[in-house]
Short mmCIF file of all heavy atoms in Angstrom, two decimals:
data_model
loop_
_atom_site.label_atom_id
_atom_site.label_comp_id
_atom_site.label_asym_id
_atom_site.label_seq_id
_atom_site.Cartn_x
_atom_site.Cartn_y
_atom_site.Cartn_z
N CYS O 175 9.87 19.88 -54.10
CA CYS O 175 10.85 20.83 -54.62
C CYS O 175 10.30 21.56 -55.84
O CYS O 175 10.00 20.96 -56.88
CB CYS O 175 12.14 20.10 -54.99
SG CYS O 175 13.56 21.20 -55.21
N ASP O 176 10.14 22.87 -55.73
CA ASP O 176 9.78 23.73 -56.85
C ASP O 176 11.09 24.17 -57.48
O ASP O 176 11.64 25.23 -57.15
CB ASP O 176 8.97 24.93 -56.36
CG ASP O 176 8.33 25.70 -57.50
OD1 ASP O 176 7.31 25.23 -58.04
OD2 ASP O 176 8.86 26.77 -57.84
N CYS O 177 11.62 23.35 -58.37
CA CYS O 177 13.03 23.47 -58.73
C CYS O 177 13.31 23.27 -60.22
O CYS O 177 12.49 22.73 -60.96
CB CYS O 177 13.84 22.41 -57.96
SG CYS O 177 13.76 22.56 -56.16
N ILE O 178 14.51 23.72 -60.58
CA ILE O 178 15.06 23.49 -61.91
C ILE O 178 16.40 22.78 -61.73
O ILE O 178 17.28 23.25 -61.01
CB ILE O 178 15.27 24.80 -62.68
CG1 ILE O 178 13.93 25.54 -62.86
CG2 ILE O 178 15.90 24.53 -64.05
CD1 ILE O 178 14.07 26.90 -63.51
N TRP O 179 16.55 21.63 -62.39
CA TRP O 179 17.79 20.88 -62.32
C TRP O 179 18.70 21.25 -63.49
O TRP O 179 18.22 21.64 -64.57
CB TRP O 179 17.51 19.38 -62.35
CG TRP O 179 17.08 18.82 -61.03
CD1 TRP O 179 17.84 18.14 -60.14
CD2 TRP O 179 15.77 18.88 -60.46
NE1 TRP O 179 17.10 17.78 -59.03
CE2 TRP O 179 15.82 18.23 -59.20
CE3 TRP O 179 14.55 19.44 -60.87
CZ2 TRP O 179 14.72 18.10 -58.36
CZ3 TRP O 179 13.45 19.32 -60.04
CH2 TRP O 179 13.53 18.66 -58.81
N GLU O 180 19.99 21.13 -63.30
CA GLU O 180 20.96 21.46 -64.35
C GLU O 180 20.78 20.58 -65.58
O GLU O 180 21.11 20.98 -66.70
CB GLU O 180 22.39 21.33 -63.80
CG GLU O 180 22.76 22.37 -62.75
CD GLU O 180 22.76 23.79 -63.31
OE1 GLU O 180 23.17 23.97 -64.47
OE2 GLU O 180 22.31 24.71 -62.61
N ILE O 181 20.27 19.36 -65.39
CA ILE O 181 20.08 18.46 -66.53
C ILE O 181 18.85 18.84 -67.36
O ILE O 181 18.56 18.21 -68.38
CB ILE O 181 19.95 17.00 -66.04
CG1 ILE O 181 18.77 16.86 -65.07
CG2 ILE O 181 21.23 16.53 -65.40
CD1 ILE O 181 18.49 15.42 -64.65
N GLY O 182 18.12 19.88 -66.91
CA GLY O 182 16.98 20.36 -67.67
C GLY O 182 15.63 20.00 -67.10
O GLY O 182 14.60 20.46 -67.59
N ARG O 183 15.59 19.17 -66.07
CA ARG O 183 14.31 18.78 -65.46
C ARG O 183 13.72 19.95 -64.68
O ARG O 183 14.44 20.68 -64.00
CB ARG O 183 14.54 17.59 -64.53
CG ARG O 183 13.27 17.14 -63.81
CD ARG O 183 13.59 16.12 -62.74
NE ARG O 183 12.43 15.86 -61.89
CZ ARG O 183 12.48 15.24 -60.72
NH1 ARG O 183 13.66 14.84 -60.25
NH2 ARG O 183 11.39 15.03 -60.01
N ILE O 184 12.42 20.12 -64.78
CA ILE O 184 11.71 21.18 -64.06
C ILE O 184 10.54 20.56 -63.29
O ILE O 184 9.78 19.75 -63.85
CB ILE O 184 11.18 22.27 -65.01
CG1 ILE O 184 12.34 22.94 -65.77
CG2 ILE O 184 10.36 23.31 -64.25
CD1 ILE O 184 11.89 23.95 -66.80
N HIS O 185 10.40 20.93 -62.04
CA HIS O 185 9.25 20.47 -61.25
C HIS O 185 8.57 21.66 -60.60
O HIS O 185 9.21 22.47 -59.94
CB HIS O 185 9.68 19.48 -60.16
CG HIS O 185 8.55 18.99 -59.31
ND1 HIS O 185 8.19 19.59 -58.12
CD2 HIS O 185 7.66 17.98 -59.50
CE1 HIS O 185 7.15 18.96 -57.61
NE2 HIS O 185 6.81 17.98 -58.42
N LYS O 186 7.27 21.79 -60.83
CA LYS O 186 6.48 22.87 -60.24
C LYS O 186 5.64 22.32 -59.10
O LYS O 186 4.89 21.36 -59.27
CB LYS O 186 5.56 23.50 -61.29
CG LYS O 186 6.30 24.24 -62.40
CD LYS O 186 7.04 25.46 -61.86
CE LYS O 186 7.70 26.25 -62.98
NZ LYS O 186 8.44 27.43 -62.44
N SER O 187 5.77 22.94 -57.93
CA SER O 187 5.02 22.50 -56.76
C SER O 187 3.56 22.94 -56.86
O SER O 187 3.26 24.04 -57.32
CB SER O 187 5.63 23.07 -55.48
OG SER O 187 6.94 22.58 -55.30
#
Side-chain angles (χ1 to χ4, degrees):
C175 196
D176 191 77
C177 299
I178 300 175
W179 280 260
E180 292 296 322
I181 59 174
R183 178 190 170 195
I184 299 176
H185 180 266
K186 294 294 184 181
S187 297

